[in-house]
Amino acid sequence: MSQVRTKVILYNPKAVFYTMPLALIALASYLDKGIYDVKIIDGRLEKDPLMKILDSCEGAVCFAVSVLTGAPIKDALEMTIEVKKRFPELNIVWGGWHPSLFPLETLKETPVDVVVRGQGEIAFEQILTAIINGQSFQGIAGVSYKDKVTGEIVQNAERNMVDINSFPAFNYDFVPVNSYEKLSGRNQIDYIASQGCRFRCNFCADPFMYKRGWYGYAPTRIADELETLWDKYHFEHVHFQDETFFTIGARVEAIAEEFIKRKFRFSWFGTMRADQGSRLPDEVFAKCKASGLERVMIGLESGSQRMIDWMKKDIKIPQVYESAQKCLKHGIAINFSVIIGFPGETEADMDETIRVVTDLRKMSPEFRVSIFYFKPYPGNEIADALIADGYKMPQGIKEWSDFDYVVKGSPWIPEKKFREIENFKFFQRLAWSKPSLLKTPIQTLAKWRIKNKSYHLPIERKLIELIFDRQKLS
Ligand code: B12
């Protein structure tokens, strides 16, 4: 007689974009299939996520949700409240970045029973074992929970990060791969080849979450897994979701060599730091290109060295140009990301950023730049310093759920400068997008505007924005 498996429901809240829910796939893949019957529900794919969840939770022992800061909290909370109402005995677990940063607040203000802080695979399995055996969560490292008898909130010791090479391959059968392809508009697969980040940027939560630990899969493992996945899904592109894919140059070279040896036909995307790119030898760039590297993402953050040093990014502006030159030489596209409006950033710093962005845009229409405005989010040194200075961060889970990262402007940018930056954002896209005969006059005008900082009567901007989708201009 076959054993009845324990039912576990994992939920990925609604969010912007359609990246596959890799965290939940990681958890599901780690659990023993013989013991657990795991189902992943993704709020972004369902017409009525709540109905699906309530139906699925019938007979389950656990409802677990992965939660990022911001809008996903709202959906996570709504679902959690309804699940608790319908199934008061069901154990509700939250994990991921937001509850890891705010475990106590999450437990106090929501019906959540257990929070997993940091890496989730082993902790989650131990939680499920405890549930099956009717035990408490006492002593499970990396876990905070409400004591079932006293209602008291207990914070267990930290869990040390484990090398991800000891975890099984992600089993993509848990999600409808084709649905993500359709929604993202590209026949691609999301894959993550490492966890954590060794760097110390003071605007990022990674140093808090993974304590600057980093583990990466061995190159042969990555190639084996992608080969198996390709046989099944025939994707044309792999999007590596790693924080810093190019952390170890020799490893990247070995990955590229594996891809070339196996004659993979897909292209790929990865994240690169400017210091890594500047150190990476030309022959490795060439191998990456030959192995299908299409585009890298480089966090420039600021064109002002003073600001870069202040945010502990540990890169030098010349390294940005060196990386760009190498990519240009090898026909690799770049997405640069920039943040403007940090506390203490002067207008001269902002001008430096505009100058460097202009230089990079001039190099190639394939070098795109996304310009974001700084907004402090939790779990990093800048936010802590601002709070100590009296800055009001959202208070409690409800306010965090209304928090929106994608903002226009920042309290640290004067209004006039903000308008200039908004104009620059628009006109840089236009000025250095792929040229065409039809576009030449407005591109020439856009370049003139940027050079002279002359954004008066931007009639062509209004017209273009009326007619076209802004994104299509880049
Ligand atoms: C893909 C991705 C997204 C996807 C989300 C995909 C999804 N799940 O729906 C999209 C594109 C929607 C997204 C959006 C955003 N993202 Co994002 N994103 C990522 C990225 C690149 C990969 C995430 C991932 O899949 N990792 C792989 C898995 C295996 O690792 P993991 O998520 O850490 O999961 C482990 C643990 O956290 C834990 N765990 C996670 N969930 C759960 C759940 C349970 C129940 C348990 C037990 C454990 C557990 O166990 C997992 C395995 O060890 C990360 C960076 C990174 N490399 O992790 C940033 C990252 C998570 N994003 C971040 C940010 C800032 C954002 C945005 C704010 C960006 C923006 N400017 O708009 C938005 C916010 C969401 C919104 N408003 O809609 C921050 C997190 C900040 C925060 N406090 O939440 C990160 C860390 C980037 C960074 N370094 O700043 N993002």
Side-chain angles (χ1 to χ4, degrees):
M1 208 173 73
S2 69
Q3 189 196 343
V4 178
R5 295 187 303 158
T6 302
K7 196 165 156 189
V8 177
I9 306 302
L10 305 182
Y11 182 62
N12 188 63
K14 286 180 202 150
V16 286
F17 309 119
Y18 297 105
T19 317
M20 292 169 184
L22 297 177
L24 297 185
I25 299 176
L27 299 178
S29 309
Y30 186 74
L31 296 173
D32 186 334
K33 259 188 156 176
I35 302 176
Y36 298 102
D37 171 15
V38 186
K39 182 173 193 161
I40 295 180
I41 300 174
D42 191 330
R44 298 167 300 173
L45 304 184
E46 301 297 331
K47 271 209 191 89
D48 187 347
L50 180 60
M51 200 164 84
K52 180 96 181 219
I53 291 171
L54 292 178
D55 282 354
S56 307
C57 280
E58 201 69 59
V61 299
C62 177
F63 174 64
V65 192
S66 181
V67 189
L68 290 179
T69 302
I73 300 175
K74 192 169 271 173
D75 185 39
L77 193 55
E78 274 171 28
M79 301 299 143
T80 296
I81 289 169
E82 292 306 317
V83 167
K84 200 66 174 179
K85 254 193 230 156
R86 174 79 75 88
F87 306 100
E89 297 304 316
L90 190 66
N91 288 277
I92 300 188
V93 182
W94 276 21
W97 291 75
H98 192 81
S100 295
L101 298 172
F102 297 98
L104 302 181
E105 194 173 281
T106 302
L107 290 166
K108 263 189 217 141
E109 298 177 17
T110 75
V112 172
D113 301 296
V114 192
V115 162
V116 171
R117 308 175 329 249
Q119 196 179 51
E121 288 85 343
I122 301 174
F124 189 53
E125 193 204 29
Q126 292 178 352
I127 288 169
L128 292 175
T129 308
I131 293 173
I132 293 174
N133 295 334
Q135 293 160 341
S136 96
F137 306 118
Q138 194 184 357
I140 304 180
V143 160
S144 309
Y145 64 99
K146 277 178 203 149
D147 186 281
K148 286 207 165 89
V149 183
T150 62
E152 188 197 346
I153 290 174
V154 184
Q155 178 109 308
N156 290 347
E158 297 274 317
R159 173 175 292 275
N160 291 330
M161 199 179 169
V162 167
D163 184 348
I164 56 170
N165 282 288
S166 64
F167 296 153
F170 284 20
N171 180 354
Y172 285 73
D173 287 347
F174 282 108
V175 295
V177 170
N178 294 337
S179 305
Y180 293 97
E181 281 176 8
K182 273 189 210 124
L183 288 166
S184 68
R186 189 162 190 193
N187 179 12
Q188 69 170 39
I189 196 138
D190 295 303
Y191 183 91
I192 186 148
S194 64
Q195 193 167 39
C197 176
R198 286 182 179 165
F199 297 89
R200 56 172 190 149
C201 308
N202 60 10
F203 54 86
C204 182
D206 217 295
F208 176 92
M209 181 83 166
Y210 291 120
K211 314 282 179 296
R212 296 181 68 188
W214 180 92
Y215 287 109
Y217 288 153
T220 44
R221 171 173 178 158
I222 298 169
D224 286 346
E225 289 186 4
L226 288 174
E227 196 164 351
T228 310
L229 287 168
W230 193 87
D231 286 343
K232 195 159 186 181
Y233 301 112
H234 290 80
F235 44 84
E236 64 182 41
H237 185 72
V238 176
H239 192 115
F240 286 102
Q241 294 287 346
D242 307 50
E243 292 281 47
T244 48
F245 184 82
F246 283 79
T247 295
I248 300 175
R251 173 173 170 270
V252 174
E253 182 174 16
I255 294 169
E257 282 169 354
E258 282 295 329
F259 286 11
I260 295 168
K261 195 170 83 192
R262 298 173 194 226
K263 298 190 171 58
F264 284 165
R265 274 176 282 162
F266 51 78
S267 57
W268 58 279
F269 164 101
T271 38
M272 172 189 271
R273 285 171 50 94
D275 54 333
Q276 294 164 351
S278 75
R279 276 196 302 269
L280 203 70
D282 255 321
E283 22 341 329
V284 181
F285 267 96
K287 281 182 192 171
C288 286
K289 174 71 184 176
S291 74
L293 176 57
E294 178 184 279
R295 183 177 286 276
V296 293
M297 157 99 165
I298 298 182
L300 163 65
E301 320 308 355
S302 176
S304 152
Q305 189 64 53
R306 188 184 81 84
M307 290 312 296
I308 287 180
D309 295 343
W310 174 81
M311 66 182 86
K312 301 185 180 168
K313 175 82 188 178
D314 295 335
I315 59 166
K316 301 280 174 219
I317 296 290
Q319 295 174 328
V320 176
Y321 288 103
E322 281 160 31
S323 300
Q325 282 297 351
K326 287 181 179 171
C327 286
L328 189 66
K329 180 172 167 192
H330 295 280
I332 297 162
I334 309 180
N335 280 0
F336 289 99
S337 68
V338 165
I339 308 171
I340 298 190
F342 283 102
E345 185 173 355
T346 63
E347 291 194 35
D349 293 317
M350 298 174 200
D351 286 340
E352 276 295 274
T353 297
I354 290 175
R355 188 182 61 75
V356 175
V357 170
T358 304
D359 286 349
L360 296 168
R361 287 294 276 144
K362 278 182 187 168
M363 286 174 79
S364 163
E366 289 300 340
F367 290 180
R368 297 187 196 147
V369 184
S370 305
I371 300 173
F372 300 102
Y373 294 105
F374 175 72
K375 178 148 187 193
Y377 66 89
N380 58 67
E381 276 179 36
I382 297 185
D384 291 349
L386 284 172
I387 294 166
D389 245 23
Y391 181 85
K392 271 281 297 143
M393 293 288 264
Q395 300 295 310
I397 205 94
K398 167 78 186 65
E399 281 185 29
W400 277 117
S401 75
D402 291 330
F403 185 74
D404 188 2
Y405 288 101
V406 189
V407 283
K408 283 214 158 187
S410 126
W412 298 281
I413 306 181
E415 180 57 31
K416 190 162 165 266
K417 197 71 187 167
F418 167 69
R419 283 200 302 274
E420 181 193 325
I421 295 165
E422 278 295 287
N423 272 311
F424 174 72
K425 274 173 73 170
F426 176 84
F427 285 108
Q428 61 86 16
R429 276 198 210 113
L430 178 63
W432 294 288
S433 60
K434 280 201 187 86
S436 74
L437 218 55
L438 216 67
K439 274 202 263 170
T440 306
I442 50 165
Q443 286 193 307
T444 310
L445 179 58
K447 284 175 193 162
W448 180 86
R449 281 192 183 280
I450 289 169
K451 189 166 171 218
N452 297 290
K453 283 195 186 174
S454 177
Y455 300 116
H456 297 300
L457 293 174
I459 305 162
E460 73 278 30
R461 174 174 174 185
K462 297 272 174 263
L463 261 174
I464 292 167
E465 283 180 349
L466 260 178
I467 303 169
F468 299 104
D469 178 353
R470 288 165 125 222
Q471 297 302 320
K472 294 203 176 111
L473 294 166
S474 53

